[in-house]
Amino acid sequence: MMKSLISSTRSPSLLSPNLLFNPYNSLSSVYNFVSVKNPNFLPGLRSRRPSASSFCCYSSSTDVNDRCYQPEGEVHVIVGPMFAGKTTTLLRRIKSESSNGRFQARVPNVVVSTDATLKNLCFSGRLVEAIRLLCQTGRQVGPETYSLLLQDCVFKKNYHLGRRIHSQMVTTGFVPNTYLNIKLLILYAKSGDLVTAHIIFDTLVTPNVISWNAMIAGYVQKGLQETGLNLYDEMRRSGLTPDQFTFASVFRACATLAMLEKGKQAHAVLIKNHICGNVVVNSALIDMYFKCSCAYDGHRVFNKSSDKNVITWTSLISGYGQHGRVKEVLECFNRMIDEGFRPNNVTFLAVLSACSHGGLVNEGRDYFHSMKNDYGIQPGEKHYAAMVDILGRSGKLNEAYEFVKNAPCKRHPVIWGALLQACKVYGNMEMMKIAAKNYFELETDNVGKYVVLSNAFATFDQWSNVAEIRSGLKELGMKKEPGYSMIEAIFRISSVLALINARGTHSSLNMGMINDNGFYVKM
């Protein structure tokens, strides 16, 4: 078979590398087969049998043991795995070094199966072409091919392409096995389509840890942390032992809901089952303890972490910054630098926020410039907003305004919002109007901006402007969701909500629950 592939030809055709799948190789190596005419720039290359680690050339006008020097001959090159991905570069070099040769490609005599073609397209990074070909053929392919395509869609976050693969399975009557169903479950959970993900989850006869993890992580990422924790409890009742990926989602949910006791229980289960937490688990655990106001326990988890890196350091620095402990933030940042870790943009954002709360203007300015000058990190809109907040809190409104005007991302609303808040605090009405105008022009469909602007005018007793904004909200049919406080009581999350009656006055506090759909349910 291999000998037939390297037989010579003189028929002209369009230059196109043919990707051949080798079923005899356990690594599924991809051989790139090209045909080159007039290869007189390679006179010293002897012909020999092709191997997986070399490329060979054959001439149509010479014996197999002769040198390839005939100007009218044709070289058939087979590139092994070590040259995978470099075929284009090789072709360009051949084209540039050949004086008067013409390139030819040939249609192979063997019929390459659809599965092999799809795999080769996927291996070469041509996922869109692979899925287009899959849908055009209208035929079923092997489970391994479907799995490879779905995995590539999840890895590249091309979830809409994954849905096309699923629809192709349905239209061709392909029944996925358990492994493919888990792949589809992960795809829909990561894309946020939890309804479809739950339907697939319910079809599994015996869900494993991977499928449970996908569902728990999907609900937590969607903002339905309580539902994710309920699934975690169901998983434990089913007799399965959670792994480190389970705890990463559980700790993140407990941190968002500030459920300290639930988080401690999950931490105890992790220790009891001798599960070694990785960087992600330790960072989520540190974040959970800090958000539950247990800074001491959070620091203990950090000290016991054996694999510290920039992520764990950033979790520690951000945790102290959330509690306004500026001294600890700067000390941890300096320790991090001394131990040889390189901060990232999230680390600098936590440091700048701490400087803002501590009123450290000069230090904040130095850290802001150090991002780009010392570490080559380009500040983003949140870093500029933090710097505006540093200047605004210290009363340097003119400097803050000039900083905003010269910022490369001045069209971002968070920057003007920081300036608006500073003007509101220090009573600068003229600058507040400028900030409000720019702030309001960006993302006009955000109802929170109307409320912020209304409160800013109310600070200066501009009640006519307040009434105009409120009436505009009613005309647009926009309504801001009321704020509420969450309280953990007997392992349940209760919400305290301040309601307003029909006369516009505040009624007494009501105790209720926020259900999974985000609706208030009175207790």
Side-chain angles (χ1 to χ4, degrees), residues 251-311:
F251 292 147
R252 191 177 299 113
C254 293
T256 304
L257 299 176
M259 295 184 66
L260 178 60
E261 292 302 321
K262 187 73 173 181
K264 284 184 175 180
Q265 290 179 0
H267 190 191
V269 174
L270 184 143
I271 297 173
K272 182 179 179 180
N273 290 280
H274 304 285
I275 299 175
C276 298
N278 57 11
V279 173
V280 178
V281 175
N282 291 332
S283 300
L285 187 57
I286 293 170
D287 185 59
M288 187 269 294
Y289 277 118
F290 271 103
K291 286 186 176 179
C292 294
S293 300
C294 293
Y296 176 75
D297 292 330
H299 207 136
R300 283 188 62 191
V301 173
F302 173 82
N303 290 333
K304 291 185 177 181
S305 300
S306 58
D307 51 350
K308 298 184 182 66
N309 66 354
V310 64
I311 300 176

Side-chain angles (χ1 to χ4, degrees), residues 313-364:
W313 276 103
T314 301
S315 299
L316 181 67
I317 294 171
S318 300
Y320 278 121
Q322 293 166 5
H323 291 273
R325 298 170 64 170
V326 183
K327 179 181 177 181
E328 286 83 354
V329 169
L330 300 183
E331 287 179 354
C332 291
F333 181 79
N334 293 329
R335 278 182 54 200
M336 173 184 173
I337 301 299
D338 294 339
E339 293 187 15
F341 293 98
R342 185 181 181 86
N344 56 19
N345 57 344
V346 182
T347 313
F348 276 106
L349 182 60
V351 173
L352 291 175
S353 299
C355 292
S356 175
H357 290 290
L360 305 177
V361 180
N362 295 329
E363 290 82 351

